[in-house]
């Protein structure tokens, strides 16, 4: 069950109350693939400029991530600069430089068109559509987006929504896209645009899986130290999709379980700058943390109140 992701491969400059980075390894496809690779092999499609420190991508190779679908072309790499509030609850984008992504035409490497689990990570919705057009018979297509594209590419984004099975966004994006402050109404609005399911990530408050008649909620793992939330949403998506691809299923029960893997991966992502939160993390650590969610969420059986 091939898992394929298209998204940004970036050089991030991030400011948090605990420190800062400059031109560090980042991007939606990077954070996604690092998390997913703990559960299932993953192939990445993206583009970097000739200024990209390619040795940084060796960190992906070490995790078995296939990034042969990342093209290297003449020009500047995608760069993003962001700053977090003191409580890490909100962030401001200081700068987005598309660089080589501005003229990128994604071409799937041989065999990738057979992918069954496809994640259209945060990037220009035209590029997400370009990848979707090349995939033959996927079992599940999920996509993400961001305020930048909601504001600048609303029409192609709506077209994309009508073609995917699942949308994964954070609460601020869901509110902005739908124009509704209530997260459940926003979720319904998004469902009405096409996808059968919507996942809304809520940072330290966890995430919701919204379907037409039911909603499932998972908390975030209770962490006492958080350094850098960058990439938490993509890592959540990586855990979610990695779990589904590993098991080859995409029904509601599997997705509810996948939410736990998503939340677990998000907790690693926020524990360090760039992809450092995943250093030293192995599958057995993931499994252990997933088990802790059982205690976190178990409602003890009791006599039913009549
Ligand atoms: P997240 O914190 O999960 O929302 O994702 C953060 C990552 O998204 C960073 O590593 C950025 O490089 C990347 N990013 C920021 N803005 C954009 C954008 N407009 N398009 C694609 N990727 C972006």
């Amino acid at each position: 069950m091939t898992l394929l992701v298209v998204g940004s491969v970036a050089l991030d400059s991030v400011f948090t109350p605990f420190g800062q980075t400059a031109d560090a390894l980042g991007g939606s496809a990077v954070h996604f693939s690092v998390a997913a690779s703990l559960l299932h092999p993953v192939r990445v499609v993206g583009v970097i400029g000739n200024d990209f420190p390619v040795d940084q991508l060796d960190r992906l190779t070490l995790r078995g991530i296939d990034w042969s679908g990342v093209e290297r072309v003449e020009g500047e790499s995608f760069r993003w600069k962001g700053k977090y509030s003191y409580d890490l609850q909100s962030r401001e984008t200081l700068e987005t430089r598309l660089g080589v992504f501005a003229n990128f035409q994604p071409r799937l490497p041989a065999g990738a068109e057979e992918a069954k689990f496809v994640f259209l990570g945060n990037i220009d919705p035209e590029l997400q559509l370009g990848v979707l057009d090349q995939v033959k018979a996927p079992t599940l297509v999920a996509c993400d987006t961001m305020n930048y594209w909601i504001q600048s590419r609303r029409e192609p984004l709506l077209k994309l929504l009508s073609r995917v099975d699942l949308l994964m966004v954070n609460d601020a994006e869901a509110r902005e896209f739908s124009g509704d402050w209530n997260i459940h109404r926003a979720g319904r609005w998004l469902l009405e645009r096409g996808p059968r399911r919507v996942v809304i990530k809520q940072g330290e408050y966890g995430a919701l899986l919204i379907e037409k008649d039911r909603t499932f909620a998972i908390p975030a793992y209770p962490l006492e130290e958080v350094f850098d939330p960058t990439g938490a949403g993509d890592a959540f998506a990586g855990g979610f999709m990695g779990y589904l691809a590993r098991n080859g299923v995409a029904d509601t029960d599997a997705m509810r379980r996948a939410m736990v893997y998503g939340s677990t991966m998000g907790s690693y992502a926020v524990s360090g700058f760039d992809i450092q939160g995943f250093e030293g993390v192995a599958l057995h650590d993931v499994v252990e943390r997933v088990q802790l969610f059982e205690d976190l969420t178990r409602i003890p059986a009791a006599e039913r109140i009549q």
Side-chain angles (χ1 to χ4, degrees):
M1 288 286 175
T2 319
L3 174 59
L4 178 72
V5 58
V6 60
S8 51
V9 179
L11 295 172
D12 284 349
S13 299
V14 174
F15 303 84
T16 85
F18 309 107
Q20 61 189 70
T21 58
D23 276 354
L25 180 62
S28 52
V30 168
H31 293 293
F32 177 97
S33 60
V34 168
S37 64
L38 278 160
L39 298 167
H40 197 69
V42 54
R43 300 183 76 164
V44 184
V45 169
V47 66
I48 53 175
N50 52 1
D51 58 350
F52 202 94
V54 182
D55 55 332
Q56 284 293 319
L57 295 179
D58 292 343
R59 296 166 74 190
L60 305 187
T61 311
L62 287 174
R63 293 170 180 276
I65 297 164
D66 177 352
W67 55 272
S68 58
V70 175
E71 285 175 47
R72 190 160 187 260
V73 302
E74 196 69 34
E76 248 193 62
S77 297
F78 178 94
R79 280 181 172 75
W80 177 76
K81 204 180 268 186
K83 187 174 178 207
Y84 288 85
S85 59
Y86 84 100
D87 59 357
L88 301 175
Q89 284 298 317
S90 58
R91 81 173 168 210
E92 188 191 348
T93 290
L94 302 176
E95 191 178 22
T96 303
R97 270 155 63 189
L98 293 183
V100 290
F101 266 103
N103 298 313
F104 181 47
Q105 303 279 343
R107 255 179 326 204
L108 295 193
E113 67 281 355
E114 306 290 345
K116 292 294 170 210
F117 289 81
V118 179
F119 189 69
L120 307 170
N122 177 29
I123 197 63
D124 189 330
E126 297 279 10
L127 301 186
Q128 293 172 309
L129 283 163
V131 166
L132 187 51
D133 284 340
Q134 295 172 60
V135 185
K136 282 191 185 147
T139 303
L140 179 76
V141 178
C143 78
D144 186 6
T145 193
M146 205 169 152
N147 51 359
Y148 186 90
W149 306 113
I150 293 169
Q151 287 153 19
S152 64
R153 293 272 200 278
R154 195 174 170 84
E155 282 315 309
L157 203 48
L158 285 167
K159 188 169 163 202
L160 179 70
L161 267 199
S162 71
R163 293 186 52 194
V164 298
D165 304 300
L166 188 144
L167 170 72
M168 217 182 251
V169 282
N170 71 31
D171 41 9
E173 290 150 0
R175 288 189 173 106
E176 181 165 359
F177 204 173
S178 64
D180 197 329
W181 61 270
N182 180 283
I183 211 66
H184 303 286
R185 277 199 308 256
R188 184 144 326 283
W189 186 92
L190 292 165
L191 281 181
E192 284 161 6
R193 304 281 147 337
R196 235 181 110 193
R197 298 179 175 93
V198 175
V199 170
I200 300 184
K201 299 160 287 179
Q202 299 178 291
E204 69 169 311
Y205 304 111
L208 303 171
L209 171 64
I210 302 178
E211 299 175 286
K212 191 162 174 281
D213 305 311
R214 320 163 66 185
T215 294
F216 174 76
I218 188 80
Y221 183 76
L223 282 176
E224 296 197 6
E225 303 271 16
V226 175
F227 287 98
D228 176 13
T230 308
D234 306 308
F236 186 105
F240 183 93
M241 294 294 287
Y243 175 80
L244 294 177
R246 184 184 178 95
N247 293 289
V249 278
D251 58 23
T252 297
D253 281 354
M255 287 201 195
R256 287 180 170 214
R257 286 192 291 272
M259 294 284 281
V260 187
Y261 285 81
S263 202
T264 298
M265 296 303 180
S267 73
Y268 290 123
V270 302
S271 302
F273 286 99
D274 68 31
I275 58 169
Q276 288 169 30
F278 283 94
E279 263 163 29
V281 178
L283 183 58
H284 65 88
D285 302 302
V286 175
V287 171
E288 224 168 80
R289 197 165 274 198
V290 162
Q291 278 161 0
L292 293 174
F293 271 89
E294 277 173 28
D295 189 52
L296 189 64
T297 55
R298 191 173 51 86
I299 302 173
E303 287 292 311
R304 200 163 160 186
I305 296 175
Q306 300 296 332

